[in-house]
Amino acid sequence: MDSALHVNQLVMTYGKGKVTALNDISFDVERGELFGLIGPDGAGKTTLFRLLTSLLIPDSGTAHVDGFDIVKDYKEIRRRVGYMPGRFSLYQDLTIEENLNFFARVFKTTIEENYDLIRDIYVQIEPFKKRRAGKLSGGMKQKLALCCALIHKPSILFLDEPTTGVDPVSRKEFWEMLKRLKERQITILVSTPYMDEAALCDRIALMQSGKILSIASPVQTLANYEHLLYAVRADGMYRLLNDLRAAPFTERCYAFGESHHLLPAYPNLSESDVRNYLDEKNYTNLEIEQITPGIEDVFMALLEKGSEEVA
Amino acid sequence: MRTLRFLLQKEFRQIFRNPAIVRMILVAPTLQLLVLPLAADYEVRNINLAVIDHDHSTWSRQLTQKLAASDHFQLVDYEESYRAGFHLVEQNEADILLEFPRGFERDLIREGKTTVMMSANAVNSVKGGLGTAYALNIIGSFNKNILTEMMPTPAVSPGEQIGVVSSVRFNPLQTYPLFMAPGILAVLLTMVGAFLAALNIVREKEIGTIEQINVTPIHKWQFVLGKLIPFWVLGLVAMTVGLTAAYFAYDIVPLGGYLVIYAFAAVYMVAVLGFGLLISTLAETQQQAMFISFFFMMIFILLGGLYTPINSMPEWAITLTKFNPAAYFIRVMRMVVLKGSTFADLWPDFKTMGIFALVLNSLAVLNYRKRT
C-alpha cells in the first residue's frame, strides 16, 4: 500500500448496466507523481474521478486512495483528497475570500494554517478577494478552485480538465503551479484534452471508451511508437486528403493542423514515392516532410487500434 | 457543531445577497395581506341584469327598480325579446335575464299569482348561482310588499309563520379579511418552507456546488440542518411580517394569543421543510423542483379549505385533506385567530403535525444521498 493510488479492475456502468463507463481499469500512481489522463469526451475520465473521490460506488473492482478503500473508508478519503470538478462549482454569490474561508473551515482548518501551500496561487487573486466568485474571469476562477481544493492540504489532488476553457497564458501558469505542488510531494491526477499538456506529466494514461490503452511516460509513449510519419501539404487540402487515403501506400492519413499526417503502410516508403504519386495529380505548392510523431499522433494511432479492437 | 455554524453563516450570507428572497420574505406577506382579502372576496357584486318586459306595467317596473337599486345588480339593458336578451348573455354583457310575461300585473291582481322567468349565465357558476339567489331574495321581499299592499289588514298572515333570527359567532361582522388572512399566512409559510428550501438545495445540485460539498467531511445531518434552519427562521420572519400587516391593516389580533400561533407554526415549518427537502431529493433541476412544487401547491390550497369549506367536499376529498399539512395549519390559524383556541384545544393538531414533521423529514433524509 505504498502507492498513492491503487486501482484494481474497476468497473462502472450506468443505467443498470446498459452503458459501460469504465471497463476493467487498473493502474497505480506513485506518491508525488503528476499523472495525466488523456482521452476524448466520454472516455470515462470524469467517472473515474468521481469514483476515486468517493462520489460514486463502483459496480466491481477495488481502488485505494492513499491506502484507503474508496467504498469502506470514504470518510477518510474525503479528508485527504482535493477535488476540482470539471465545472466551476464554488459559490458564485460568495466572494473569493468567503469561499476559501468556508472550505477551510469545513475541513476544520484555516487559511493561515496552510497559507504557504496556496500562497503562489492566492497572491494572484488576492487583490480581488472581495469580489464575488461569479464575477471572476475563467482563469481566476480556476485559480480560486485550485486554492479551495488545496486549502486542507490534501495528499492527493484530483483535477478534472482544469484548463478547459482557459486562455493559453493562464493554462501555462496553471501547469507551472502544478509543478510547484508536485515539488511539495502532493500526488496529482489530472485529466486534459490538450496533448501539449500531456507532455508535462510524469506519466500519462491514454483512455478511450472506458479502457486504458497505454500507460507510460510521455517520452516512453513516443518511443514505443516507432513509425515513419510524413507531413504533407499542398493547395486543395481536402482533395489531397482523399487522394492520400486512396493511395496504395497509405496505412492511415488524417488532418493535423496545417498539414496532413501520412502513416505509410510499409516502413521503406520514401518521400519521393509519395511525391511521384501526387505529381500525377497536379498539385501546386506541394510540400512533403518526414516528421517525428508527437503525442497526438501516438494517441490517434492508439485510438484507431482501440476502436478496431472494440469492433 | 462548529461546522454547522459555518454552514449556517454561509447560508444566511447567500440568502441576504439574494434580493429576490429578501423581497419575498418582506414584501410578499404584506402585499398579499393588504390586497388579496379585499379583492378575492366571496361576495358577488356588479351582476349585470337585463330585463325583458312584455308587460310594461307599474309592478313590473317596480320590481325592476328594486333589483336595480340593490348593489348586487346593475341594470344594463331593456330588451324587447328573449332572443335579444340572450344575445346579450352571449356577448357576455348580461349575467341574468329577467323576463316579465304579458299580463304579469293583471294575473297578479286577478288570480293572486304570476310567474317571471329568470335565466342565469352559469359560465361563472358562482356568479350565476349567487346572482339567482340574490334575485330570489329580492323578489321574495317584493312579494311580501305586494301582499301587504293588496291585503292591508290580513286576518291571518299567509306567509312568514316562522321567523329566523341569525347570529354569526366568532366573526360577527363577517369581516372577510379576518377569515382570509390566516389562510394567506398559511400559504406563505408553505411557500417559504417547502419551495424556497427545495429550490435552494436543487440549485446547489444544478450549479454543481453540492459536488464540492459532497467530497468534504461534512456530515449529512450537518448539511441538512444547515439548509433547514435558515428557512425555518425565514418562515417565522415572514409570518411575523404578515401578522404585523394584518394587525395594522385589519386590526387582527389572534384571540388565542401569539404564542399558540408561533408554536404551531414552528412545528408546521419543520413539516413543510421536510417536504421541501424531499422534493429536492427528487428533482435534478430547479425547473423540475418548480413543477413539483406548483403541483403540490395547488393541491395544498384547493384541498386545504382556504377557499372552499372542507366539509362540503366529497368523502374521498375529505380523506385526502387529512394528508394535507396545509389544511391543518389553515384550520388552526383560523381557530386561534377567530375562536381563541388554546394549546389544550389544539393538542390533537399539534400531535398530527408532529407526525407529519417526523415522517416527511425521515423520508427526505433517507432519500438524500451524498453519493450514488
Side-chain angles (χ1 to χ4, degrees), chain B residues 57-304:
Chain B
S57 60
T58 324
W59 279 1
S60 70
R61 221 164 295 145
Q62 259 181 27
L63 180 54
T64 308
Q65 270 164 15
K66 206 168 156 119
L67 283 167
S70 109
D71 56 344
H72 295 299
F73 294 101
Q74 228 170 357
L75 188 60
V76 286
D77 212 349
Y78 277 104
E79 284 300 338
E80 286 308 311
S81 66
Y82 182 78
R83 186 190 290 255
F86 193 71
H87 186 67
L88 284 180
V89 174
E90 287 175 331
Q91 298 291 310
N92 214 11
E93 280 164 28
D95 301 308
I96 291 205
L97 295 181
L98 186 67
E99 190 177 19
F100 293 98
R102 200 179 298 276
F104 168 77
E105 195 177 65
R106 187 194 59 213
D107 289 356
L108 198 57
I109 292 170
R110 278 197 199 153
E111 292 165 32
K113 63 175 185 187
T114 184
T115 48
V116 292
M117 179 162 103
M118 194 159 58
S119 330
N121 175 4
V123 169
N124 181 340
S125 67
V126 177
K127 212 172 183 183
L130 281 178
T132 318
Y134 291 146
L136 285 178
N137 215 338
I138 293 172
I139 296 172
S141 76
F142 183 71
N143 255 336
K144 249 191 294 176
N145 290 350
I146 299 174
L147 281 174
T148 45
E149 217 172 290
M150 286 169 68
M151 293 174 261
T153 46
V156 186
S157 169
E160 292 289 324
Q161 299 288 7
I162 301 172
V164 177
V165 180
S166 65
S167 151
V168 183
R169 300 293 302 273
F170 305 125
N171 189 357
L173 297 175
Q174 287 187 288
T175 329
Y176 191 69
L178 207 52
F179 177 71
M180 213 51 202
I184 290 177
L185 282 179
V187 173
L188 207 75
L189 278 203
T190 317
M191 290 270 280
V192 174
F195 307 142
L196 272 190
L199 283 181
N200 184 287
I201 299 173
V202 176
R203 185 160 163 262
E204 293 228 11
K205 273 196 203 176
E206 217 174 68
I207 305 180
T209 45
I210 208 156
E211 193 95 308
Q212 199 85 63
I213 291 288
N214 284 350
V215 291
T216 67
I218 294 177
H219 295 287
K220 193 153 107 173
W221 65 268
Q222 288 171 330
F223 181 77
V224 168
L225 275 184
K227 286 289 175 193
L228 295 193
I229 293 173
F231 286 97
W232 186 82
V233 174
L234 281 189
L236 295 185
V237 169
M239 191 175 77
T240 309
V241 174
L243 285 173
T244 314
Y247 172 75
F248 283 110
Y250 309 113
D251 284 328
I252 295 179
V253 179
L255 287 177
Y258 283 104
L259 189 63
V260 192
I261 286 195
Y262 275 95
F264 195 77
V267 185
Y268 178 72
M269 277 308 288
V270 177
V272 283
L273 281 167
F275 185 68
L277 194 63
L278 190 61
I279 293 179
S280 77
T281 61
L282 297 174
E284 284 303 318
T285 64
Q286 292 190 69
Q287 206 175 35
Q288 287 171 3
M290 206 69 166
F291 275 124
I292 303 177
S293 301
F294 271 128
F295 173 74
F296 281 104
M297 199 70 201
M298 289 300 280
I299 294 182
F300 280 0
I301 294 176
L302 293 179
L303 284 184

Side-chain angles (χ1 to χ4, degrees), chain A residues 194-241:
Chain A
Y194 300 114
M195 300 297 160
D196 57 330
E197 291 183 347
L200 301 169
C201 298
D202 292 333
R203 281 195 302 157
I204 47 177
L206 299 183
M207 279 187 81
Q208 190 198 19
S209 316
K211 275 186 174 291
I212 289 183
L213 303 177
S214 87
I215 301 179
S217 70
V219 179
Q220 208 181 344
T221 307
L222 289 175
N224 289 348
Y225 182 79
E226 291 160 347
H227 264 295
L228 187 62
L229 197 68
Y230 289 109
V232 187
R233 198 184 320 178
D235 292 336
M237 289 295 275
Y238 182 65
R239 187 164 70 96
L240 180 65
L241 185 64

Side-chain angles (χ1 to χ4, degrees), chain A residues 92-116:
Chain A
Q92 314 243 5
D93 44 2
L94 294 182
T95 64
I96 287 184
E97 204 180 17
E98 285 163 351
N99 264 305
L100 198 54
N101 238 319
F102 174 71
F103 283 101
R105 282 168 167 180
V106 159
F107 282 101
K108 300 187 166 62
T109 176
T110 56
I111 298 182
E112 292 74 34
E113 210 172 307
N114 294 318
Y115 187 74
D116 63 310

Side-chain angles (χ1 to χ4, degrees), chain A residues 62-300:
Chain A
T62 57
H64 289 83
V65 177
D66 216 3
F68 293 97
D69 186 274
I70 56 164
V71 180
K72 278 205 313 275
D73 310 317
Y74 67 94
K75 284 187 177 155
E76 217 34 64
I77 289 178
R78 284 176 185 168
R79 217 163 299 196
R80 276 154 210 276
V81 303
Y83 176 41
M84 192 173 147
R87 195 162 54 132
F88 181 71
S89 45
L90 298 174
Y91 292 100
Q92 314 243 5
D93 44 2
L94 294 182
T95 64
I96 287 184
E97 204 180 17
E98 285 163 351
N99 264 305
L100 198 54
N101 238 319
F102 174 71
F103 283 101
R105 282 168 167 180
V106 159
F107 282 101
K108 300 187 166 62
T109 176
T110 56
I111 298 182
E112 292 74 34
E113 210 172 307
N114 294 318
Y115 187 74
D116 63 310
L117 192 62
I118 60 163
R119 188 179 50 221
D120 292 344
I121 312 159
Y122 190 55
V123 286
Q124 301 178 41
I125 51 173
E126 206 168 12
F128 315 100
K129 66 181 181 184
K130 298 278 178 219
R131 192 180 290 183
R132 290 191 193 170
K135 297 208 160 42
L136 295 175
S137 70
M140 287 208 276
K141 277 183 181 165
Q142 293 312 88
K143 282 169 196 158
L144 174 60
L146 186 60
C147 283
C148 287
L150 276 172
I151 193 62
H152 58 291
K153 211 171 183 183
S155 50
I156 303 190
L157 201 52
F158 292 96
L159 309 172
D160 193 0
E161 301 205 356
T163 52
T164 301
V166 173
D167 67 89
V169 178
S170 295
R171 260 175 63 192
K172 197 157 164 282
E173 279 175 8
F174 195 87
W175 276 86
E176 272 157 22
M177 281 179 239
L178 293 191
K179 260 192 237 162
R180 278 199 292 272
L181 289 175
K182 195 177 104 72
E183 283 160 18
R184 288 171 179 268
Q185 284 301 301
I186 293 177
T187 312
I188 303 173
L189 190 67
V190 58
S191 74
T192 176
Y194 300 114
M195 300 297 160
D196 57 330
E197 291 183 347
L200 301 169
C201 298
D202 292 333
R203 281 195 302 157
I204 47 177
L206 299 183
M207 279 187 81
Q208 190 198 19
S209 316
K211 275 186 174 291
I212 289 183
L213 303 177
S214 87
I215 301 179
S217 70
V219 179
Q220 208 181 344
T221 307
L222 289 175
N224 289 348
Y225 182 79
E226 291 160 347
H227 264 295
L228 187 62
L229 197 68
Y230 289 109
V232 187
R233 198 184 320 178
D235 292 336
M237 289 295 275
Y238 182 65
R239 187 164 70 96
L240 180 65
L241 185 64
N242 286 336
D243 281 339
L244 282 172
R245 278 181 178 168
F249 52 75
T250 303
E251 165 78 28
R252 209 166 26 245
C253 181
Y254 45 87
F256 194 102
E258 291 195 324
S259 52
H260 295 317
H261 283 190
L262 171 72
L263 187 70
Y266 27 88
N268 54 354
L269 182 78
S270 70
E271 196 185 311
S272 54
D273 292 340
V274 182
R275 190 173 289 279
N276 289 340
Y277 172 78
L278 290 174
D279 275 343
E280 284 171 26
K281 303 197 184 294
N282 301 320
Y283 278 97
T284 50
N285 291 328
L286 185 64
E287 283 174 44
I288 301 173
E289 183 187 359
Q290 191 187 337
I291 52 165
T292 43
I295 291 214
E296 204 154 338
D297 295 304
V298 180
F299 189 53
M300 295 290 271

Side-chain angles (χ1 to χ4, degrees), chain A residues 48-64:
Chain A
L48 182 59
F49 276 118
R50 289 169 56 90
L51 277 168
L52 295 177
T53 50
S54 82
L55 290 170
L56 292 174
I57 297 170
D59 289 358
S60 68
T62 57
H64 289 83

